[in-house]
Amino acid sequence: MYRITNGMIADNTLRNISAAAVRLAEANEAVASNMKIQLASDDTTVATRAVTYRSYVSQIEQYQENAESADAWQTATDDALDELVEDITTLKEIATAASSESISDTDLENYATSVEQLLEDIVNLMNTDYNGSYIFGGYSTTEEPYEIVTTDIGETVTYKGQYLSLGSVIASDVSDETIEDYLTDSASEIYNSLTEAATDAYSAYTTALAASTADPTNIILAAKTASALTNYNTITAAVTTYGGTTNLTDATAAAESDYETITDTITTTVEASTTTLTDAAADALTAYTTAAAAAAADPTNTDLAEAAADALEISDALAAAVTALGGTTTLADAAESGDDVLATAIKNYIGGTTTLSDAAATALDIFDTLAAASVTYGDSTTLTSAASSAKTAYDTAYAADPTSTETAEALATYNILSAAITTYGSTATVSEAAEEAEATSDALATAVATYGGTSTLSEAAEAAKTTYEALAGADADAEQNIDYNIGFSTEVTVNVEGQDITGEGSSSVFNTIQKLLLALNGDTSYKTASMDSSGNVTITTNELSITDLIDELSDSLELATTAQATLGVSMEAVTNVTDRLDDAYEAYSALMTDNENIDTATATTELTSAEYTYEAALAVGAKVISKTLIDYIG
Amino acid sequence: MASTFAGLSITSRGLNAAQVGLTVTTNNMSNIDTEGYSRQVVSQTSIGPAAVYSSSSLVGSGVEVTSVDRVSSFRLNQKYWAENSAASELEAEATYLEQIEEVFGTSDSSDISEALDALETALGTLADDPTDESVRASVLEYAEAFCDTLNTAAEELESIRSDLNNEVYTAVEEINSYASQIAELNSQIVTATASGASTNELEDARDVLIDELSSLADISVTAADDGSYTITVDGITLVKGDSYNELECYTVTDSTSDSYGMYGIRWAESGDDFDAGDSGALAGYLEMRDGSTADSKGVVYYMNQLDEFAQTFAQALNEGVTDSSGTTYSGNVDGYGLDDSTGIRLFTYDDLTSEEFESSGSDLEDAYSNITAANISVSKDVQDDTNKIAASSASGEESNTENLDDIISICSSVNVSGTSTLTDLYNVIVATVGGDSATTQTAYASKSATATYIDTSRTSVSGVSSDEETINLTTYQSAYAASASMVSAWSELYDTTISMVDD
């Protein structure tokens, strides 16, 4: 530019002063407001981070509040549990004292009064509230959960309006008729009964069905509906097996033990098997041929193909064993040979061929023999000595007449006793073994009733497993946990449900207290009643002994202390989380302020620099634009 | 031999020329601050002897002022008009983008994300005790506050759009006014040039008008032979000679158009649509007003983003969300309130109840497309009875908070769309508008610097320098003094000549 006019100089000066003033204004704003940016366009990264950090900080504040509330709730629960443990200990002491021989009637009366007082106290404890919410009531926190009610068949405790257990403890002087009538009337009001579980399963199924009908192409929903239906059917079958009024937890335990009995039976049958490998291998080969033919006839059916593959595995393993161990080896010996593949194959083979009715018959046979043996040799004889006595008896009979029936019977007795050593242990007494054999026999008889005598052990085991899992699932679903969010994806359950502390079904502490009261009253027996799925009431009379009650009270005490221990662990976790939250809060607040707020040193430096630049622009500009040539002419 | 008084007449011409020079210098000095004034210079030539081809006249006859010219570069003007147009467009966009930014909140005033955080905190407090009536009331308050914030933001965006519409109307009026004035000046300049008169002031005035016009529209100017300027916008003639084409605004009634309900522009005579081109403030206003796609982000684009955010928010909290990994989080519809009601929606629009909302569209998706940021509200059911806020996942369980936990997760940590949470979706809008605004401001600063530079070049050529004029003044003064002293000298000569004749 070769020609500068005064106008250009003036404009230029003005522009520079304006630019300096803008910078000064911005620096001033930054220092005065303590914020790096006013609008998002000043620095977009800072702006978006600010939104995120603020969100985090506000979430952490909420978590801290929640953690405090959780701690308070849990402390209230812990205090209540402390007192409960004390009360149960006192009950135990009373029971111990009352079980002594030299107890007077007045003492018994006094004890009875104390026990009644303790019962009321326990019920009050279980109705503790924190801040207006009843802490042991699960999700129903606005009403007292526990109440003592008097019914036609005696006093009992209700939980959330439903009977914790109905018909578990009835005084022996109540008539059977009254019991039947009452049970039939109140069958639907039992807490956590199997019938309730079946109803819940049905509503779950209808919901799934509605969802999949609304969206017919969705295969996930269709699969969910199918599994809901299977679940419902399984639980309905369980109602028939265990009775509709049975408590769900009790039924789950029974289903588990049934399943274990069947799997144990497979093992013991293997151990006692006298079938030779050759016979077994031939049998397995035939089975495989049949299965393969069926699978070939229907190629699309994956189940048949799977079954054929399994049959082939068994057949191959057994055939290999014939070559390796010799065709005359029994299955029992072959299973012990150390080859795991062979052992599994033998187990599958036995399980797949032995029917339930055969197994039940064998179990009954074992029980009868053991019962007879305990009469012959004495209750407290160990199995080992009984077995050796039986061997001696057999030798004698064999020497006398090798082919007589007595010899065969003696041999059978000896075999069963030696097998029992393997099953029950050598130090077990004959009567103990007989008891366990009775339980097994009963369980297998029930299984025959449920699954049919012709189903094989493997099939029955599968079905029992399904039942057990379905019931366990239903039990877990019925949990009502009040969870507080105390961290990002961290939840803590703040409540303990009442039935987890007092027990439910037939083993609740309230039942024990009722029995204790009956015993202190002088009763020596009590009745239990249960109802099956067709409405028939079964009434049994049981012996009442205070010693048993002491054991039951120990169990209840353990339940309460376990619940307290779990609570303690949870409280510790909350404390840890609270500490971490405090750290996180500090960290994120620091991030937030670092992000948004100015660094005071930098900002004031910038402000000083801007001021200086502005003043310089003013000073220099003034000098430049004030003089023209006219000032110097003339 | 020259005439007796030739000398005097030469000096009178000299005086005259000096006088014209002085007058022009005075004129320049007086107009030193006049906007658009181009300095004028005198051009004078010497006059040859009176009679041509005669040896009797050997001496020239003095000086003649041929013209007073205006110093101005048409080429620089054209360059300046182009740059000014581009800079004005960016200025218009930057101003309005900043306004849109403020709608989404400055860094220290309450805005949408803070309202969402507050709502989440209130829901968290409710999860600690779902039976507490006062906490339920506060949840309702925060929910309504959140809806209000969205409503206000939508209103502010609407009013920005309305402002832009008015700007468009004003700009069109101004363009018409300038066009008519330029046409008038064109005709005056043509007449004056034809009669040989000076057109300096008229041309200055015309250039000033074109400067203003260039900031409004994308014009290109060519000089015609007769001295008039032809101005075209995007290829179509605006001004030619003494005639001009008017523009008019009309309200767009085509509901499929981007500018439905706003002003459209067309040429008054032909009725064709006016294309504002891609520079000039008018183009900037139109883009800001109607831009709705990712390529041209105007108010409408951000209004749509905000509406989508409101819809996603309402749908997520009402119906629940299934995220990309298949986990389902239930919404208010699936849960049970304190009064065991179910199927209630938290957010509808225009204070509709949950049922009315369902039947407001052909299906649920259609109903949700009715929700906009301007009309989102808490549903009437919840407004009337806060017990319908569904905390529980089953009826009859007052302290069951499984449903409420899901709702709280949806507020903050669940990916409601792809891998974005609700906060992320909002952040994207803030980042987009912030980024847009920042880039436009930078572009404007750079373009405006270029325009200023060319303007300075113009001033360098045609601006008045007081120092230069002072020197010219001194020069003309001495020229005048010189001619004046010549008059004295010739006067003495004539005295001597006359007294020669006198006896």
Side-chain angles (χ1 to χ4, degrees):
Chain A
M1 211 158 302
Y2 59 89
R3 183 172 170 274
I4 311 281
T5 68
N6 313 72
M8 285 161 67
I9 297 179
D11 281 341
N12 210 26
T13 311
L14 185 61
R15 243 196 318 280
N16 288 331
I17 293 177
S18 291
V22 165
R23 190 174 152 208
L24 181 61
E26 282 179 357
N28 199 27
E29 180 72 35
V31 172
S33 69
N34 203 26
M35 302 288 276
K36 272 189 204 162
I37 58 169
Q38 309 307 319
L39 287 176
S41 61
D42 295 341
D43 190 339
T44 329
T45 329
V46 168
T48 45
R49 276 204 219 127
V51 172
T52 318
Y53 288 151
R54 286 212 194 138
S55 175
Y56 279 164
V57 169
S58 102
Q59 276 181 14
I60 292 179
E61 283 172 352
Q62 183 60 38
Y63 291 144
Q64 285 177 316
E65 250 186 69
N66 288 354
E68 257 183 65
S69 305
D71 192 47
W73 187 300
Q74 285 180 325
T75 312
T77 314
D78 197 34
D79 290 341
L81 283 177
D82 272 342
E83 286 189 41
L84 180 69
V85 164
E86 264 182 51
D87 280 351
I88 299 182
T89 318
T90 317
L91 280 170
K92 222 175 133 184
E93 288 168 3
I94 293 179
T96 322
S99 68
S100 87
E101 301 291 322
S102 55
I103 193 90
S104 72
D105 281 343
T106 11
D107 284 341
L108 281 175
E109 262 182 56
N110 289 339
Y111 283 145
T113 325
S114 309
V115 170
E116 283 183 18
Q117 197 58 45
L118 281 166
L119 175 64
E120 272 182 43
D121 201 34
I122 290 180
V123 171
N124 279 340
L125 270 178
M126 297 308 288
N127 283 339
T128 314
D129 73 304
Y130 165 69
N131 224 18
S133 304
Y134 292 101
I135 59 179
F136 291 117
Y139 286 144
S140 312
T141 52
T142 51
E143 280 174 21
E144 285 186 353
Y146 287 92
E147 203 187 328
I148 306 178
V149 295
T150 320
T151 68
D152 288 343
I153 55 176
E155 240 182 35
T156 183
V157 174
T158 55
Y159 178 56
K160 293 200 264 199
Q162 293 179 312
Y163 295 107
L164 255 186
S165 77
L166 195 59
S168 301
V169 181
I170 313 173
S172 34
D173 56 2
V174 179
S175 76
D176 285 358
E177 222 186 287
T178 325
I179 299 177
E180 267 184 48
D181 288 340
Y182 195 74
L183 218 58
T184 325
D185 286 339
S186 337
S188 59
E189 293 173 36
I190 297 183
Y191 177 72
N192 210 17
S193 64
L194 260 184
T195 333
E196 226 182 275
T199 323
D200 286 344
Y202 186 67
S203 53
Y205 163 63
T206 34
T207 323
L209 185 62
S212 73
T213 329
D215 188 3
T217 53
N218 193 328
I219 42 175
I220 300 177
L221 287 179
K224 278 193 183 165
T225 315
S227 75
L229 182 58
T230 326
N231 203 39
Y232 168 62
N233 287 335
T234 317
I235 298 185
T236 319
V239 169
T240 321
T241 319
Y242 300 109
T245 56
T246 320
N247 179 280
L248 183 58
T249 329
D250 286 346
T252 316
E256 191 180 4
S257 104
D258 283 346
Y259 166 60
E260 280 173 1
T261 311
I262 298 180
T263 38
D264 284 344
T265 311
I266 298 179
T267 322
T268 43
T269 317
V270 167
E271 286 166 356
S273 173
T274 49
T275 322
T276 61
L277 271 177
T278 335
D279 288 341
D283 202 12
L285 190 58
T286 331
Y288 164 64
T289 327
T290 331
D298 188 3
T300 55
N301 193 328
T302 47
D303 288 337
L304 288 181
E306 250 184 77
D310 290 340
L312 180 62
E313 251 184 75
I314 298 176
S315 170
D316 282 344
L318 286 173
V322 168
T323 331
L325 301 170
T328 50
T329 324
T330 63
L331 284 182
D333 292 335
E336 305 268 319
S337 67
D339 184 350
D340 286 333
V341 175
L342 179 61
T344 321
I346 293 178
K347 222 169 141 196
N348 288 343
Y349 170 71
I350 297 275
T353 48
T354 323
T355 63
L356 266 181
S357 32
D358 285 343
T362 321
L364 190 58
D365 204 24
I366 295 177
F367 167 60
D368 286 339
T369 317
L370 285 175
S374 79
V375 169
T376 320
Y377 300 113
D379 282 347
S380 37
T381 328
T382 62
L383 283 173
T384 338
S385 56
S388 60
S389 315
K391 180 90 179 25
T392 327
Y394 165 64
D395 286 339
T396 324
Y398 186 76
D401 182 0
T403 54
S404 72
T405 42
E406 284 102 15
T407 321
E409 274 177 34
L411 179 59
T413 313
Y414 168 60
N415 283 337
I416 287 178
L417 279 170
S418 30
I421 296 175
T422 329
T423 321
Y424 302 113
S426 55
T427 51
T429 67
V430 183
S431 54
E432 283 172 2
E435 257 182 66
E436 302 218 4
E438 187 179 13
T440 313
S441 170
D442 285 344
L444 284 173
T446 322
V448 169
T450 319
Y451 303 115
T454 51
S455 60
T456 68
L457 284 179
S458 305
E459 288 168 4
E462 273 301 313
K465 189 165 178 220
T466 320
T467 313
Y468 163 58
E469 283 174 351
L471 288 178
D475 202 16
D477 281 346
E479 269 178 26
Q480 297 184 342
N481 293 331
I482 298 182
D483 293 326
Y484 280 7
N485 272 326
I486 54 172
F488 298 104
S489 317
T490 315
E491 284 182 342
V492 67
T493 310
V494 300
N495 71 333
V496 184
E497 287 186 82
Q499 77 272 25
D500 289 339
I501 303 171
T502 59
E504 55 184 306
S506 50
S507 55
S508 80
V509 71
F510 299 113
N511 282 349
T512 316
I513 296 179
Q514 292 299 330
K515 287 190 225 172
L516 185 57
L517 281 171
L518 287 177
L520 290 172
N521 201 24
D523 286 8
T524 49
S525 68
Y526 68 98
K527 293 186 185 171
T528 32
S530 66
M531 198 167 82
D532 69 6
S533 55
S534 38
N536 297 331
V537 179
T538 332
I539 304 177
T540 4
T541 314
N542 313 73
E543 202 188 303
L544 182 60
S545 107
I546 294 193
T547 342
D548 289 339
L549 293 181
I550 299 175
D551 287 337
E552 285 185 21
L553 282 172
S554 300
D555 288 339
S556 297
L557 191 60
E558 211 185 298
L559 197 60
T561 41
T562 316
Q564 218 180 0
T566 320
L567 182 66
V569 169
S570 185
M571 286 172 81
E572 228 186 278
V574 171
T575 317
N576 287 343
V577 170
T578 313
D579 289 338
R580 283 209 306 273
L581 278 177
D582 288 338
D583 290 339
Y585 182 74
E586 272 183 47
Y588 276 114
S589 299
L591 275 174
M592 192 173 83
T593 46
D594 276 350
N595 187 41
E596 292 177 6
N597 293 352
I598 57 160
D599 173 29
T600 317
T602 320
T604 34
T605 315
E606 168 71 16
L607 179 63
T608 319
S609 160
E611 277 173 17
Y612 174 73
T613 315
Y614 180 65
E615 284 172 22
L618 288 172
V620 170
K623 281 206 183 344
V624 167
I625 61 175
S626 53
K627 297 280 188 206
T628 61
L629 187 54
I630 296 177
D631 297 319
Y632 293 100
I633 286 188
Chain B
M1 173 90 180
S3 84
T4 319
F5 293 103
L8 210 53
S9 71
I10 292 177
T11 56
S12 89
R13 286 199 193 105
L15 283 171
N16 201 37
Q19 234 181 1
V20 170
L22 280 168
T23 317
V24 168
T25 309
T26 317
N27 192 27
N28 278 346
M29 287 289 261
S30 314
N31 280 308
I32 200 168
D33 284 332
T34 310
E35 195 196 327
Y37 178 78
S38 312
R39 68 193 164 105
Q40 295 171 3
V41 294
V42 178
S43 40
Q44 49 192 52
T45 54
S46 58
I47 305 175
V52 189
Y53 307 124
S54 158
S55 58
S56 54
S57 325
L58 299 165
V59 184
S61 322
V63 68
E64 190 187 1
V65 172
T66 47
S67 64
V68 175
D69 297 320
R70 173 177 168 264
V71 181
S72 154
S73 163
F74 184 62
R75 193 181 55 78
L76 275 178
N77 274 344
Q78 283 177 317
K79 273 181 80 171
Y80 174 71
W81 291 327
E83 291 298 329
N84 190 31
S85 211
S88 302
E89 188 207 357
L90 289 168
E91 187 187 4
E93 289 182 5
T95 315
Y96 279 94
L97 275 173
E98 213 174 289
Q99 285 192 29
I100 295 176
E101 261 197 285
E102 286 182 359
V103 170
F104 290 103
T106 63
S107 51
D108 59 346
S109 70
S110 77
D111 65 340
I112 295 166
S113 76
E114 273 189 35
L116 184 58
D117 286 343
L119 176 61
E120 198 191 326
T121 310
L123 285 172
T125 315
L126 185 62
D128 286 351
D129 186 1
T131 60
D132 191 337
E133 289 293 331
S134 60
V135 176
R136 282 184 176 256
S138 88
V139 168
L140 176 62
E141 262 181 59
Y142 282 113
E144 286 183 329
F146 181 76
C147 290
D148 280 342
T149 320
L150 280 176
N151 294 149
T152 314
E155 257 177 60
E156 288 176 7
L157 286 176
E158 262 310 323
S159 94
I160 291 177
R161 191 162 194 228
S162 161
D163 282 348
L164 279 164
N165 205 30
N166 289 340
E167 293 269 20
V168 166
Y169 186 79
T170 314
V172 168
E173 291 292 294
E174 282 182 0
I175 291 176
N176 283 342
S177 155
Y178 290 139
S180 89
Q181 288 175 51
I182 293 171
E184 175 72 32
L185 281 170
N186 266 347
S187 100
Q188 287 177 1
I189 290 171
V190 167
T191 323
T193 320
S195 56
S198 160
T199 57
N200 292 338
E201 283 68 29
L202 294 171
E203 289 185 45
D204 280 345
R206 187 174 57 181
D207 280 347
V208 166
L209 285 172
I210 300 183
D211 282 351
E212 296 293 324
L213 183 61
S214 73
S215 74
L216 288 173
D218 181 14
I219 56 172
S220 66
V221 183
T222 46
D225 292 334
D226 59 2
S228 69
Y229 280 169
T230 309
I231 304 179
T232 59
V233 177
D234 206 46
I236 306 190
T237 316
L238 182 62
V239 175
K240 190 180 171 87
D242 61 351
S243 68
Y244 67 100
N245 286 330
E246 250 193 15
L247 290 168
E248 67 175 5
C249 283
Y250 65 99
T251 313
V252 174
T253 50
D254 177 9
S255 58
T256 61
S257 152
D258 279 345
S259 31
Y260 175 55
M262 301 278 120
Y263 288 127
I265 312 172
R266 61 179 173 216
W267 296 101
E269 267 204 49
S270 65
D272 291 336
D273 270 333
F274 170 71
D275 187 345
D278 38 313
S279 64
L282 184 57
Y285 293 140
L286 286 171
E287 170 143 341
M288 277 282 97
R289 189 192 73 182
D290 298 334
S292 61
T293 65
D295 294 326
S296 74
K297 302 191 195 102
V299 171
V300 177
Y301 175 77
Y302 291 109
M303 281 163 79
N304 288 345
Q305 294 289 88
L306 200 60
D307 285 345
E308 238 185 84
F309 174 72
Q311 280 175 22
T312 312
F313 170 79
Q315 193 161 8
L317 258 67
N318 281 349
E319 315 288 336
V321 163
T322 304
D323 74 4
S324 44
S325 65
T327 328
T328 312
Y329 297 87
S330 26
N332 209 60
V333 151
D334 307 312
Y336 292 82
L338 260 189
D339 56 356
D340 289 342
S341 58
T342 183
I344 305 289
R345 293 183 169 79
L346 274 175
F347 294 100
T348 58
Y349 64 98
D350 288 339
D351 294 329
L352 290 183
T353 68
S354 188
E355 264 184 61
E356 290 168 358
F357 171 76
E358 242 187 285
S359 45
S360 68
S362 56
D363 63 7
L364 209 53
E365 280 297 323
D366 199 40
Y368 272 108
S369 66
N370 286 335
I371 294 185
T372 67
N375 65 22
I376 187 173
S377 72
V378 178
S379 74
K380 194 97 175 58
D381 314 275
V382 175
Q383 281 182 32
D384 291 339
D385 184 6
T386 57
N387 285 336
K388 296 211 187 321
I389 301 177
S392 163
S393 61
S395 71
E397 300 174 349
E398 315 87 69
S399 282
N400 178 334
T401 55
E402 285 172 14
N403 209 49
L404 190 58
D405 285 340
D406 275 356
I407 293 179
I408 294 173
S409 305
I410 292 176
C411 277
S412 60
S413 55
V414 168
N415 292 343
V416 298
S417 152
T419 54
S420 313
T421 67
L422 277 175
T423 315
D424 289 342
L425 286 176
Y426 176 71
N427 247 357
V428 164
I429 305 179
V430 170
T432 313
V433 71
D436 235 10
S437 180
T439 44
T440 312
Q441 282 174 23
T442 317
Y444 169 61
S446 132
K447 235 345 163 206
S448 131
T450 317
T452 310
Y453 178 78
I454 298 183
D455 196 30
T456 315
S457 304
R458 283 202 312 184
T459 321
S460 166
V461 169
S462 39
V464 176
S465 164
S466 70
D467 294 340
E468 194 183 332
E469 299 304 320
T470 312
I471 293 181
N472 288 345
L473 187 67
T474 324
T475 320
Y476 287 128
Q477 261 182 342
S478 14
Y480 190 84
S483 290
S485 60
M486 292 308 291
V487 171
S488 310
W490 280 102
S491 183
E492 264 187 53
L493 254 152
Y494 292 139
D495 274 347
T496 316
T497 312
I498 290 173
S499 59
M500 242 171 55
V501 180
D502 205 15
D503 196 43

